[in-house]
Amino acid sequence: VGSYDPNDKHGYTNTSRSETQFFLDQDAWLDYSIRFQNTGTDTAFTVVVKDTLDTDLDITSVAILGSSHGFVPSFEEGRGLVFTFSDILLPDSTTDLLGSQGFISFRVKPRSGLMIGDVMENTAGIYFDFNEPVITNTVTHLVETSAAVAEVSAGRPLRLAPNPADDVLLVLDAN
């Protein structure tokens, strides 16, 4: 009857905390948070969050990080991850702004064998009672390798070798 959801989804890598890149040599997990809020005109009795996991994500590695309310997790045919918040009694935002909000957070490992340039995308649908789903933004992570250099003391010279370089470039302490 009148419940509606302005939602969003965020995804971060566990080590680098990147929202857009997954570094093969640094990261092990992707952490996702899906937030929802009832801005409708009535209490929401049931909220269902459905998340179809990208084929580059290992569905057997899903771990729950936290939630705002009690829920029942389940899997749908294929790669569907479902969080059902039964009897959530989520008030509308004009009645109780803070109480009208909820979230679910989970983490998942990418499958082994990812290649540089692979893209992992994730989107969720949030269902309030009998309403059509509201689709979240798509979270995208590009698989990369890090080109990070360890911290260097100020004024300490570095040497790059070989120069010129084709495939490998070494960063060396010049001392």
Side-chain angles (χ1 to χ4, degrees), residues 9-19 21-22 27-34 51 57 61-66 104-110 120 122 139 141:
K9 180 170 190 167
H10 295 278
Y12 302 95
T13 57
N14 68 304
T15 305
S16 65
R17 299 297 295 161
S18 176
E19 293 183 57
Q21 296 171 304
F22 182 87
D27 298 317
W29 296 88
L30 286 168
D31 294 348
Y32 291 109
S33 289
I34 303 166
D51 194 329
L57 299 174
S61 69
V62 171
I64 305 301
L65 297 176
I104 181 70
S105 294
F106 66 96
R107 66 176 17 183
V108 61
K109 286 185 178 184
M120 295 175 284
N122 196 262
V139 176
H141 283 88

PDB file of all heavy atoms in Angstrom, residues 9-19 21-22 27-34 51 57 61-66 104-110 120 122 139 141:
ATOM      1  N   LYS A   9      23.311   1.172  -2.914  1.00  0.00           N
ATOM      2  CA  LYS A   9      24.188   0.041  -2.668  1.00  0.00           C
ATOM      3  C   LYS A   9      25.622   0.525  -2.797  1.00  0.00           C
ATOM      4  O   LYS A   9      25.942   1.305  -3.695  1.00  0.00           O
ATOM      5  CB  LYS A   9      23.918  -1.066  -3.679  1.00  0.00           C
ATOM      6  CG  LYS A   9      24.792  -2.261  -3.463  1.00  0.00           C
ATOM      7  CD  LYS A   9      24.351  -3.411  -4.300  1.00  0.00           C
ATOM      8  CE  LYS A   9      25.124  -4.619  -3.846  1.00  0.00           C
ATOM      9  NZ  LYS A   9      24.588  -5.830  -4.367  1.00  0.00           N
ATOM     10  N   HIS A  10      26.463   0.084  -1.866  1.00  0.00           N
ATOM     11  CA  HIS A  10      27.882   0.428  -1.899  1.00  0.00           C
ATOM     12  C   HIS A  10      28.695  -0.850  -1.840  1.00  0.00           C
ATOM     13  O   HIS A  10      28.299  -1.808  -1.177  1.00  0.00           O
ATOM     14  CB  HIS A  10      28.261   1.336  -0.724  1.00  0.00           C
ATOM     15  CG  HIS A  10      27.597   2.672  -0.782  1.00  0.00           C
ATOM     16  ND1 HIS A  10      28.072   3.699  -1.543  1.00  0.00           N
ATOM     17  CD2 HIS A  10      26.467   3.137  -0.199  1.00  0.00           C
ATOM     18  CE1 HIS A  10      27.276   4.735  -1.423  1.00  0.00           C
ATOM     19  NE2 HIS A  10      26.284   4.421  -0.619  1.00  0.00           N
ATOM     20  N   GLY A  11      29.815  -0.860  -2.526  1.00  0.00           N
ATOM     21  CA  GLY A  11      30.722  -1.997  -2.498  1.00  0.00           C
ATOM     22  C   GLY A  11      32.144  -1.516  -2.344  1.00  0.00           C
ATOM     23  O   GLY A  11      32.559  -0.567  -3.016  1.00  0.00           O
ATOM     24  N   TYR A  12      32.868  -2.161  -1.432  1.00  0.00           N
ATOM     25  CA  TYR A  12      34.252  -1.792  -1.161  1.00  0.00           C
ATOM     26  C   TYR A  12      35.098  -3.058  -1.085  1.00  0.00           C
ATOM     27  O   TYR A  12      34.633  -4.092  -0.600  1.00  0.00           O
ATOM     28  CB  TYR A  12      34.384  -1.076   0.194  1.00  0.00           C
ATOM     29  CG  TYR A  12      33.559   0.167   0.312  1.00  0.00           C
ATOM     30  CD1 TYR A  12      32.294   0.135   0.894  1.00  0.00           C
ATOM     31  CD2 TYR A  12      34.043   1.377  -0.153  1.00  0.00           C
ATOM     32  CE1 TYR A  12      31.536   1.285   1.004  1.00  0.00           C
ATOM     33  CE2 TYR A  12      33.288   2.533  -0.044  1.00  0.00           C
ATOM     34  CZ  TYR A  12      32.035   2.475   0.534  1.00  0.00           C
ATOM     35  OH  TYR A  12      31.279   3.607   0.637  1.00  0.00           O
ATOM     36  N   THR A  13      36.345  -2.958  -1.521  1.00  0.00           N
ATOM     37  CA  THR A  13      37.254  -4.078  -1.325  1.00  0.00           C
ATOM     38  C   THR A  13      37.733  -4.060   0.119  1.00  0.00           C
ATOM     39  O   THR A  13      37.831  -3.005   0.740  1.00  0.00           O
ATOM     40  CB  THR A  13      38.451  -3.991  -2.285  1.00  0.00           C
ATOM     41  OG1 THR A  13      39.115  -2.756  -2.090  1.00  0.00           O
ATOM     42  CG2 THR A  13      37.992  -4.115  -3.730  1.00  0.00           C
ATOM     43  N   ASN A  14      38.014  -5.236   0.664  1.00  0.00           N
ATOM     44  CA  ASN A  14      38.323  -5.319   2.088  1.00  0.00           C
ATOM     45  C   ASN A  14      39.666  -4.696   2.465  1.00  0.00           C
ATOM     46  O   ASN A  14      39.815  -4.194   3.571  1.00  0.00           O
ATOM     47  CB  ASN A  14      38.276  -6.768   2.572  1.00  0.00           C
ATOM     48  CG  ASN A  14      39.397  -7.605   1.999  1.00  0.00           C
ATOM     49  OD1 ASN A  14      39.566  -7.699   0.787  1.00  0.00           O
ATOM     50  ND2 ASN A  14      40.160  -8.227   2.860  1.00  0.00           N
ATOM     51  N   THR A  15      40.636  -4.686   1.577  1.00  0.00           N
ATOM     52  CA  THR A  15      41.955  -4.171   1.927  1.00  0.00           C
ATOM     53  C   THR A  15      42.154  -2.729   1.475  1.00  0.00           C
ATOM     54  O   THR A  15      42.445  -1.855   2.271  1.00  0.00           O
ATOM     55  CB  THR A  15      43.059  -5.053   1.307  1.00  0.00           C
ATOM     56  OG1 THR A  15      42.834  -6.403   1.716  1.00  0.00           O
ATOM     57  CG2 THR A  15      44.432  -4.623   1.775  1.00  0.00           C
ATOM     58  N   SER A  16      41.988  -2.478   0.200  1.00  0.00           N
ATOM     59  CA  SER A  16      42.255  -1.141  -0.326  1.00  0.00           C
ATOM     60  C   SER A  16      41.071  -0.199  -0.139  1.00  0.00           C
ATOM     61  O   SER A  16      41.212   0.991  -0.313  1.00  0.00           O
ATOM     62  CB  SER A  16      42.612  -1.223  -1.813  1.00  0.00           C
ATOM     63  OG  SER A  16      41.507  -1.692  -2.562  1.00  0.00           O
ATOM     64  N   ARG A  17      39.907  -0.742   0.217  1.00  0.00           N
ATOM     65  CA  ARG A  17      38.675   0.030   0.414  1.00  0.00           C
ATOM     66  C   ARG A  17      38.285   0.791  -0.857  1.00  0.00           C
ATOM     67  O   ARG A  17      37.661   1.832  -0.807  1.00  0.00           O
ATOM     68  CB  ARG A  17      38.777   0.989   1.599  1.00  0.00           C
ATOM     69  CG  ARG A  17      39.031   0.328   2.930  1.00  0.00           C
ATOM     70  CD  ARG A  17      37.948  -0.595   3.380  1.00  0.00           C
ATOM     71  NE  ARG A  17      36.701   0.114   3.640  1.00  0.00           N
ATOM     72  CZ  ARG A  17      35.527  -0.475   3.697  1.00  0.00           C
ATOM     73  NH1 ARG A  17      35.428  -1.764   3.520  1.00  0.00           N
ATOM     74  NH2 ARG A  17      34.453   0.219   3.936  1.00  0.00           N
ATOM     75  N   SER A  18      38.652   0.219  -2.009  1.00  0.00           N
ATOM     76  CA  SER A  18      38.309   0.856  -3.283  1.00  0.00           C
ATOM     77  C   SER A  18      36.851   0.595  -3.631  1.00  0.00           C
ATOM     78  O   SER A  18      36.346  -0.507  -3.443  1.00  0.00           O
ATOM     79  CB  SER A  18      39.202   0.323  -4.400  1.00  0.00           C
ATOM     80  OG  SER A  18      38.803   0.876  -5.645  1.00  0.00           O
ATOM     81  N   GLU A  19      36.195   1.611  -4.191  1.00  0.00           N
ATOM     82  CA  GLU A  19      34.815   1.483  -4.654  1.00  0.00           C
ATOM     83  C   GLU A  19      34.760   1.099  -6.129  1.00  0.00           C
ATOM     84  O   GLU A  19      33.681   0.817  -6.637  1.00  0.00           O
ATOM     85  CB  GLU A  19      34.074   2.804  -4.473  1.00  0.00           C
ATOM     86  CG  GLU A  19      33.866   3.199  -3.036  1.00  0.00           C
ATOM     87  CD  GLU A  19      33.063   4.483  -2.929  1.00  0.00           C
ATOM     88  OE1 GLU A  19      31.934   4.528  -3.452  1.00  0.00           O
ATOM     89  OE2 GLU A  19      33.573   5.437  -2.327  1.00  0.00           O
ATOM     90  N   GLN A  21      37.900  -0.524  -7.959  1.00  0.00           N
ATOM     91  CA  GLN A  21      38.930  -1.450  -8.408  1.00  0.00           C
ATOM     92  C   GLN A  21      39.109  -2.580  -7.395  1.00  0.00           C
ATOM     93  O   GLN A  21      39.028  -2.365  -6.184  1.00  0.00           O
ATOM     94  CB  GLN A  21      40.261  -0.731  -8.582  1.00  0.00           C
ATOM     95  CG  GLN A  21      40.214   0.325  -9.666  1.00  0.00           C
ATOM     96  CD  GLN A  21      41.462   1.169  -9.682  1.00  0.00           C
ATOM     97  OE1 GLN A  21      41.826   1.758  -8.683  1.00  0.00           O
ATOM     98  NE2 GLN A  21      42.115   1.218 -10.826  1.00  0.00           N
ATOM     99  N   PHE A  22      39.376  -3.794  -7.912  1.00  0.00           N
ATOM    100  CA  PHE A  22      39.715  -4.944  -7.088  1.00  0.00           C
ATOM    101  C   PHE A  22      41.143  -5.317  -7.449  1.00  0.00           C
ATOM    102  O   PHE A  22      41.422  -5.679  -8.595  1.00  0.00           O
ATOM    103  CB  PHE A  22      38.769  -6.125  -7.371  1.00  0.00           C
ATOM    104  CG  PHE A  22      39.062  -7.315  -6.514  1.00  0.00           C
ATOM    105  CD1 PHE A  22      38.487  -7.431  -5.264  1.00  0.00           C
ATOM    106  CD2 PHE A  22      39.930  -8.307  -6.947  1.00  0.00           C
ATOM    107  CE1 PHE A  22      38.756  -8.516  -4.452  1.00  0.00           C
ATOM    108  CE2 PHE A  22      40.209  -9.395  -6.150  1.00  0.00           C
ATOM    109  CZ  PHE A  22      39.619  -9.501  -4.902  1.00  0.00           C
ATOM    110  N   ASP A  27      43.574  -7.479  -2.480  1.00  0.00           N
ATOM    111  CA  ASP A  27      42.218  -7.674  -1.968  1.00  0.00           C
ATOM    112  C   ASP A  27      41.808  -9.144  -1.976  1.00  0.00           C
ATOM    113  O   ASP A  27      42.228  -9.905  -2.842  1.00  0.00           O
ATOM    114  CB  ASP A  27      41.221  -6.867  -2.798  1.00  0.00           C
ATOM    115  CG  ASP A  27      41.501  -5.375  -2.728  1.00  0.00           C
ATOM    116  OD1 ASP A  27      41.777  -4.879  -1.629  1.00  0.00           O
ATOM    117  OD2 ASP A  27      41.444  -4.712  -3.777  1.00  0.00           O
ATOM    118  N   ALA A  28      40.952  -9.511  -1.017  1.00  0.00           N
ATOM    119  CA  ALA A  28      40.440 -10.876  -0.946  1.00  0.00           C
ATOM    120  C   ALA A  28      38.920 -10.929  -0.999  1.00  0.00           C
ATOM    121  O   ALA A  28      38.352 -11.927  -1.427  1.00  0.00           O
ATOM    122  CB  ALA A  28      40.928 -11.552   0.342  1.00  0.00           C
ATOM    123  N   TRP A  29      38.249  -9.876  -0.538  1.00  0.00           N
ATOM    124  CA  TRP A  29      36.792  -9.858  -0.423  1.00  0.00           C
ATOM    125  C   TRP A  29      36.229  -8.584  -1.041  1.00  0.00           C
ATOM    126  O   TRP A  29      36.906  -7.566  -1.102  1.00  0.00           O
ATOM    127  CB  TRP A  29      36.368  -9.841   1.046  1.00  0.00           C
ATOM    128  CG  TRP A  29      36.731 -11.044   1.833  1.00  0.00           C
ATOM    129  CD1 TRP A  29      37.899 -11.255   2.512  1.00  0.00           C
ATOM    130  CD2 TRP A  29      35.924 -12.193   2.086  1.00  0.00           C
ATOM    131  NE1 TRP A  29      37.858 -12.464   3.149  1.00  0.00           N
ATOM    132  CE2 TRP A  29      36.652 -13.057   2.905  1.00  0.00           C
ATOM    133  CE3 TRP A  29      34.640 -12.560   1.682  1.00  0.00           C
ATOM    134  CZ2 TRP A  29      36.152 -14.270   3.330  1.00  0.00           C
ATOM    135  CZ3 TRP A  29      34.145 -13.775   2.116  1.00  0.00           C
ATOM    136  CH2 TRP A  29      34.894 -14.613   2.923  1.00  0.00           C
ATOM    137  N   LEU A  30      34.953  -8.646  -1.383  1.00  0.00           N
ATOM    138  CA  LEU A  30      34.171  -7.456  -1.686  1.00  0.00           C
ATOM    139  C   LEU A  30      33.099  -7.357  -0.607  1.00  0.00           C
ATOM    140  O   LEU A  30      32.395  -8.328  -0.324  1.00  0.00           O
ATOM    141  CB  LEU A  30      33.512  -7.564  -3.061  1.00  0.00           C
ATOM    142  CG  LEU A  30      34.466  -7.403  -4.237  1.00  0.00           C
ATOM    143  CD1 LEU A  30      33.788  -7.823  -5.534  1.00  0.00           C
ATOM    144  CD2 LEU A  30      34.937  -5.972  -4.337  1.00  0.00           C
ATOM    145  N   ASP A  31      33.020  -6.207   0.036  1.00  0.00           N
ATOM    146  CA  ASP A  31      32.026  -5.951   1.074  1.00  0.00           C
ATOM    147  C   ASP A  31      30.925  -5.082   0.476  1.00  0.00           C
ATOM    148  O   ASP A  31      31.207  -4.019  -0.081  1.00  0.00           O
ATOM    149  CB  ASP A  31      32.648  -5.218   2.274  1.00  0.00           C
ATOM    150  CG  ASP A  31      33.674  -6.060   3.008  1.00  0.00           C
ATOM    151  OD1 ASP A  31      33.753  -7.280   2.756  1.00  0.00           O
ATOM    152  OD2 ASP A  31      34.406  -5.499   3.848  1.00  0.00           O
ATOM    153  N   TYR A  32      29.667  -5.535   0.592  1.00  0.00           N
ATOM    154  CA  TYR A  32      28.530  -4.816   0.045  1.00  0.00           C
ATOM    155  C   TYR A  32      27.590  -4.385   1.162  1.00  0.00           C
ATOM    156  O   TYR A  32      27.350  -5.141   2.109  1.00  0.00           O
ATOM    157  CB  TYR A  32      27.738  -5.695  -0.935  1.00  0.00           C
ATOM    158  CG  TYR A  32      28.469  -6.000  -2.214  1.00  0.00           C
ATOM    159  CD1 TYR A  32      28.955  -7.277  -2.465  1.00  0.00           C
ATOM    160  CD2 TYR A  32      28.657  -5.018  -3.174  1.00  0.00           C
ATOM    161  CE1 TYR A  32      29.617  -7.564  -3.653  1.00  0.00           C
ATOM    162  CE2 TYR A  32      29.313  -5.302  -4.357  1.00  0.00           C
ATOM    163  CZ  TYR A  32      29.793  -6.575  -4.589  1.00  0.00           C
ATOM    164  OH  TYR A  32      30.446  -6.846  -5.761  1.00  0.00           O
ATOM    165  N   SER A  33      27.048  -3.190   1.058  1.00  0.00           N
ATOM    166  CA  SER A  33      25.998  -2.701   1.960  1.00  0.00           C
ATOM    167  C   SER A  33      24.845  -2.182   1.114  1.00  0.00           C
ATOM    168  O   SER A  33      25.051  -1.394   0.191  1.00  0.00           O
ATOM    169  CB  SER A  33      26.506  -1.578   2.861  1.00  0.00           C
ATOM    170  OG  SER A  33      27.396  -2.085   3.816  1.00  0.00           O
ATOM    171  N   ILE A  34      23.656  -2.629   1.452  1.00  0.00           N
ATOM    172  CA  ILE A  34      22.443  -2.191   0.771  1.00  0.00           C
ATOM    173  C   ILE A  34      21.590  -1.479   1.813  1.00  0.00           C
ATOM    174  O   ILE A  34      21.251  -2.072   2.840  1.00  0.00           O
ATOM    175  CB  ILE A  34      21.675  -3.382   0.177  1.00  0.00           C
ATOM    176  CG1 ILE A  34      22.574  -4.151  -0.783  1.00  0.00           C
ATOM    177  CG2 ILE A  34      20.396  -2.900  -0.516  1.00  0.00           C
ATOM    178  CD1 ILE A  34      22.048  -5.506  -1.172  1.00  0.00           C
ATOM    179  N   ASP A  51      19.479  -9.998  -4.425  1.00  0.00           N
ATOM    180  CA  ASP A  51      20.756  -9.628  -5.022  1.00  0.00           C
ATOM    181  C   ASP A  51      21.240 -10.791  -5.875  1.00  0.00           C
ATOM    182  O   ASP A  51      21.522 -11.861  -5.342  1.00  0.00           O
ATOM    183  CB  ASP A  51      21.758  -9.323  -3.910  1.00  0.00           C
ATOM    184  CG  ASP A  51      22.992  -8.629  -4.400  1.00  0.00           C
ATOM    185  OD1 ASP A  51      23.395  -8.867  -5.548  1.00  0.00           O
ATOM    186  OD2 ASP A  51      23.563  -7.856  -3.627  1.00  0.00           O
ATOM    187  N   LEU A  57      31.740 -13.818  -8.844  1.00  0.00           N
ATOM    188  CA  LEU A  57      31.720 -13.886  -7.389  1.00  0.00           C
ATOM    189  C   LEU A  57      31.405 -15.311  -6.949  1.00  0.00           C
ATOM    190  O   LEU A  57      30.554 -15.983  -7.524  1.00  0.00           O
ATOM    191  CB  LEU A  57      30.695 -12.905  -6.818  1.00  0.00           C
ATOM    192  CG  LEU A  57      30.951 -11.436  -7.144  1.00  0.00           C
ATOM    193  CD1 LEU A  57      29.798 -10.569  -6.647  1.00  0.00           C
ATOM    194  CD2 LEU A  57      32.268 -10.971  -6.549  1.00  0.00           C
ATOM    195  N   SER A  61      30.983 -18.368  -0.742  1.00  0.00           N
ATOM    196  CA  SER A  61      31.799 -17.634   0.245  1.00  0.00           C
ATOM    197  C   SER A  61      31.035 -16.518   0.949  1.00  0.00           C
ATOM    198  O   SER A  61      31.615 -15.795   1.761  1.00  0.00           O
ATOM    199  CB  SER A  61      33.032 -17.041  -0.446  1.00  0.00           C
ATOM    200  OG  SER A  61      32.657 -15.988  -1.326  1.00  0.00           O
ATOM    201  N   VAL A  62      29.749 -16.350   0.683  1.00  0.00           N
ATOM    202  CA  VAL A  62      28.975 -15.256   1.258  1.00  0.00           C
ATOM    203  C   VAL A  62      29.027 -15.313   2.785  1.00  0.00           C
ATOM    204  O   VAL A  62      28.810 -16.364   3.388  1.00  0.00           O
ATOM    205  CB  VAL A  62      27.508 -15.286   0.779  1.00  0.00           C
ATOM    206  CG1 VAL A  62      26.661 -14.281   1.542  1.00  0.00           C
ATOM    207  CG2 VAL A  62      27.441 -15.008  -0.712  1.00  0.00           C
ATOM    208  N   ALA A  63      29.330 -14.171   3.394  1.00  0.00           N
ATOM    209  CA  ALA A  63      29.343 -14.041   4.857  1.00  0.00           C
ATOM    210  C   ALA A  63      28.583 -12.771   5.229  1.00  0.00           C
ATOM    211  O   ALA A  63      28.816 -11.718   4.643  1.00  0.00           O
ATOM    212  CB  ALA A  63      30.774 -13.976   5.379  1.00  0.00           C
ATOM    213  N   ILE A  64      27.681 -12.882   6.187  1.00  0.00           N
ATOM    214  CA  ILE A  64      26.893 -11.736   6.625  1.00  0.00           C
ATOM    215  C   ILE A  64      27.739 -10.878   7.566  1.00  0.00           C
ATOM    216  O   ILE A  64      28.360 -11.397   8.499  1.00  0.00           O
ATOM    217  CB  ILE A  64      25.610 -12.194   7.352  1.00  0.00           C
ATOM    218  CG1 ILE A  64      24.800 -13.148   6.474  1.00  0.00           C
ATOM    219  CG2 ILE A  64      24.789 -10.993   7.804  1.00  0.00           C
ATOM    220  CD1 ILE A  64      24.367 -12.591   5.148  1.00  0.00           C
ATOM    221  N   LEU A  65      27.751  -9.570   7.342  1.00  0.00           N
ATOM    222  CA  LEU A  65      28.499  -8.641   8.191  1.00  0.00           C
ATOM    223  C   LEU A  65      27.604  -7.953   9.210  1.00  0.00           C
ATOM    224  O   LEU A  65      28.062  -7.587  10.288  1.00  0.00           O
ATOM    225  CB  LEU A  65      29.207  -7.588   7.336  1.00  0.00           C
ATOM    226  CG  LEU A  65      30.257  -8.114   6.366  1.00  0.00           C
ATOM    227  CD1 LEU A  65      30.810  -6.980   5.508  1.00  0.00           C
ATOM    228  CD2 LEU A  65      31.379  -8.816   7.114  1.00  0.00           C
ATOM    229  N   GLY A  66      26.329  -7.742   8.877  1.00  0.00           N
ATOM    230  CA  GLY A  66      25.427  -7.084   9.811  1.00  0.00           C
ATOM    231  C   GLY A  66      24.145  -6.667   9.128  1.00  0.00           C
ATOM    232  O   GLY A  66      24.030  -6.706   7.902  1.00  0.00           O
ATOM    233  N   ILE A 104      21.427  -4.076   5.052  1.00  0.00           N
ATOM    234  CA  ILE A 104      22.029  -5.401   5.131  1.00  0.00           C
ATOM    235  C   ILE A 104      23.440  -5.274   4.562  1.00  0.00           C
ATOM    236  O   ILE A 104      23.647  -4.589   3.556  1.00  0.00           O
ATOM    237  CB  ILE A 104      21.213  -6.481   4.364  1.00  0.00           C
ATOM    238  CG1 ILE A 104      21.854  -7.860   4.475  1.00  0.00           C
ATOM    239  CG2 ILE A 104      21.005  -6.119   2.918  1.00  0.00           C
ATOM    240  CD1 ILE A 104      21.786  -8.476   5.831  1.00  0.00           C
ATOM    241  N   SER A 105      24.415  -5.889   5.231  1.00  0.00           N
ATOM    242  CA  SER A 105      25.804  -5.872   4.755  1.00  0.00           C
ATOM    243  C   SER A 105      26.323  -7.302   4.693  1.00  0.00           C
ATOM    244  O   SER A 105      26.075  -8.090   5.603  1.00  0.00           O
ATOM    245  CB  SER A 105      26.696  -5.053   5.692  1.00  0.00           C
ATOM    246  OG  SER A 105      26.336  -3.700   5.669  1.00  0.00           O
ATOM    247  N   PHE A 106      27.031  -7.597   3.615  1.00  0.00           N
ATOM    248  CA  PHE A 106      27.624  -8.922   3.467  1.00  0.00           C
ATOM    249  C   PHE A 106      28.913  -8.814   2.675  1.00  0.00           C
ATOM    250  O   PHE A 106      29.208  -7.794   2.073  1.00  0.00           O
ATOM    251  CB  PHE A 106      26.640  -9.899   2.797  1.00  0.00           C
ATOM    252  CG  PHE A 106      26.300  -9.557   1.377  1.00  0.00           C
ATOM    253  CD1 PHE A 106      26.974 -10.141   0.320  1.00  0.00           C
ATOM    254  CD2 PHE A 106      25.271  -8.658   1.092  1.00  0.00           C
ATOM    255  CE1 PHE A 106      26.645  -9.838  -0.998  1.00  0.00           C
ATOM    256  CE2 PHE A 106      24.932  -8.348  -0.212  1.00  0.00           C
ATOM    257  CZ  PHE A 106      25.623  -8.940  -1.262  1.00  0.00           C
ATOM    258  N   ARG A 107      29.684  -9.883   2.718  1.00  0.00           N
ATOM    259  CA  ARG A 107      30.913  -9.928   1.934  1.00  0.00           C
ATOM    260  C   ARG A 107      30.937 -11.211   1.131  1.00  0.00           C
ATOM    261  O   ARG A 107      30.303 -12.203   1.486  1.00  0.00           O
ATOM    262  CB  ARG A 107      32.151  -9.782   2.807  1.00  0.00           C
ATOM    263  CG  ARG A 107      32.427 -10.872   3.762  1.00  0.00           C
ATOM    264  CD  ARG A 107      33.712 -10.753   4.560  1.00  0.00           C
ATOM    265  NE  ARG A 107      34.299  -9.435   4.573  1.00  0.00           N
ATOM    266  CZ  ARG A 107      35.439  -9.125   5.156  1.00  0.00           C
ATOM    267  NH1 ARG A 107      36.119 -10.041   5.803  1.00  0.00           N
ATOM    268  NH2 ARG A 107      35.907  -7.907   5.113  1.00  0.00           N
ATOM    269  N   VAL A 108      31.686 -11.169   0.040  1.00  0.00           N
ATOM    270  CA  VAL A 108      31.798 -12.322  -0.844  1.00  0.00           C
ATOM    271  C   VAL A 108      33.171 -12.277  -1.520  1.00  0.00           C
ATOM    272  O   VAL A 108      33.703 -11.193  -1.802  1.00  0.00           O
ATOM    273  CB  VAL A 108      30.640 -12.342  -1.879  1.00  0.00           C
ATOM    274  CG1 VAL A 108      30.649 -11.116  -2.756  1.00  0.00           C
ATOM    275  CG2 VAL A 108      30.620 -13.625  -2.677  1.00  0.00           C
ATOM    276  N   LYS A 109      33.746 -13.456  -1.731  1.00  0.00           N
ATOM    277  CA  LYS A 109      35.032 -13.537  -2.418  1.00  0.00           C
ATOM    278  C   LYS A 109      34.814 -13.671  -3.924  1.00  0.00           C
ATOM    279  O   LYS A 109      33.873 -14.339  -4.355  1.00  0.00           O
ATOM    280  CB  LYS A 109      35.814 -14.771  -1.960  1.00  0.00           C
ATOM    281  CG  LYS A 109      36.403 -14.665  -0.596  1.00  0.00           C
ATOM    282  CD  LYS A 109      37.243 -15.885  -0.299  1.00  0.00           C
ATOM    283  CE  LYS A 109      37.882 -15.747   1.067  1.00  0.00           C
ATOM    284  NZ  LYS A 109      38.786 -16.871   1.345  1.00  0.00           N
ATOM    285  N   PRO A 110      35.684 -13.069  -4.684  1.00  0.00           N
ATOM    286  CA  PRO A 110      35.650 -13.323  -6.129  1.00  0.00           C
ATOM    287  C   PRO A 110      36.083 -14.769  -6.400  1.00  0.00           C
ATOM    288  O   PRO A 110      36.780 -15.383  -5.592  1.00  0.00           O
ATOM    289  CB  PRO A 110      36.677 -12.344  -6.692  1.00  0.00           C
ATOM    290  CG  PRO A 110      36.786 -11.283  -5.655  1.00  0.00           C
ATOM    291  CD  PRO A 110      36.608 -11.993  -4.354  1.00  0.00           C
ATOM    292  N   MET A 120      33.452  -6.960 -12.282  1.00  0.00           N
ATOM    293  CA  MET A 120      32.439  -7.552 -11.407  1.00  0.00           C
ATOM    294  C   MET A 120      31.381  -6.489 -11.140  1.00  0.00           C
ATOM    295  O   MET A 120      31.701  -5.406 -10.660  1.00  0.00           O
ATOM    296  CB  MET A 120      33.083  -8.014 -10.092  1.00  0.00           C
ATOM    297  CG  MET A 120      34.080  -9.135 -10.281  1.00  0.00           C
ATOM    298  SD  MET A 120      34.930  -9.587  -8.764  1.00  0.00           S
ATOM    299  CE  MET A 120      36.092  -8.230  -8.598  1.00  0.00           C
ATOM    300  N   ASN A 122      27.368  -5.620  -9.550  1.00  0.00           N
ATOM    301  CA  ASN A 122      26.387  -6.105  -8.592  1.00  0.00           C
ATOM    302  C   ASN A 122      25.289  -5.069  -8.410  1.00  0.00           C
ATOM    303  O   ASN A 122      25.564  -3.891  -8.199  1.00  0.00           O
ATOM    304  CB  ASN A 122      27.078  -6.422  -7.273  1.00  0.00           C
ATOM    305  CG  ASN A 122      26.220  -7.265  -6.379  1.00  0.00           C
ATOM    306  OD1 ASN A 122      25.567  -6.720  -5.500  1.00  0.00           O
ATOM    307  ND2 ASN A 122      26.188  -8.545  -6.601  1.00  0.00           N
ATOM    308  N   VAL A 139      26.996  -1.488  -8.635  1.00  0.00           N
ATOM    309  CA  VAL A 139      28.351  -1.335  -8.109  1.00  0.00           C
ATOM    310  C   VAL A 139      29.279  -2.118  -9.030  1.00  0.00           C
ATOM    311  O   VAL A 139      29.028  -3.288  -9.319  1.00  0.00           O
ATOM    312  CB  VAL A 139      28.446  -1.864  -6.662  1.00  0.00           C
ATOM    313  CG1 VAL A 139      29.869  -1.805  -6.155  1.00  0.00           C
ATOM    314  CG2 VAL A 139      27.503  -1.084  -5.757  1.00  0.00           C
ATOM    315  N   HIS A 141      33.371  -3.186 -10.012  1.00  0.00           N
ATOM    316  CA  HIS A 141      34.790  -3.260  -9.656  1.00  0.00           C
ATOM    317  C   HIS A 141      35.559  -3.846 -10.837  1.00  0.00           C
ATOM    318  O   HIS A 141      35.221  -4.922 -11.335  1.00  0.00           O
ATOM    319  CB  HIS A 141      35.013  -4.131  -8.416  1.00  0.00           C
ATOM    320  CG  HIS A 141      34.658  -3.440  -7.154  1.00  0.00           C
ATOM    321  ND1 HIS A 141      33.391  -3.453  -6.629  1.00  0.00           N
ATOM    322  CD2 HIS A 141      35.406  -2.688  -6.324  1.00  0.00           C
ATOM    323  CE1 HIS A 141      33.372  -2.752  -5.519  1.00  0.00           C
ATOM    324  NE2 HIS A 141      34.582  -2.272  -5.310  1.00  0.00           N
TER     325      HIS A 141
END
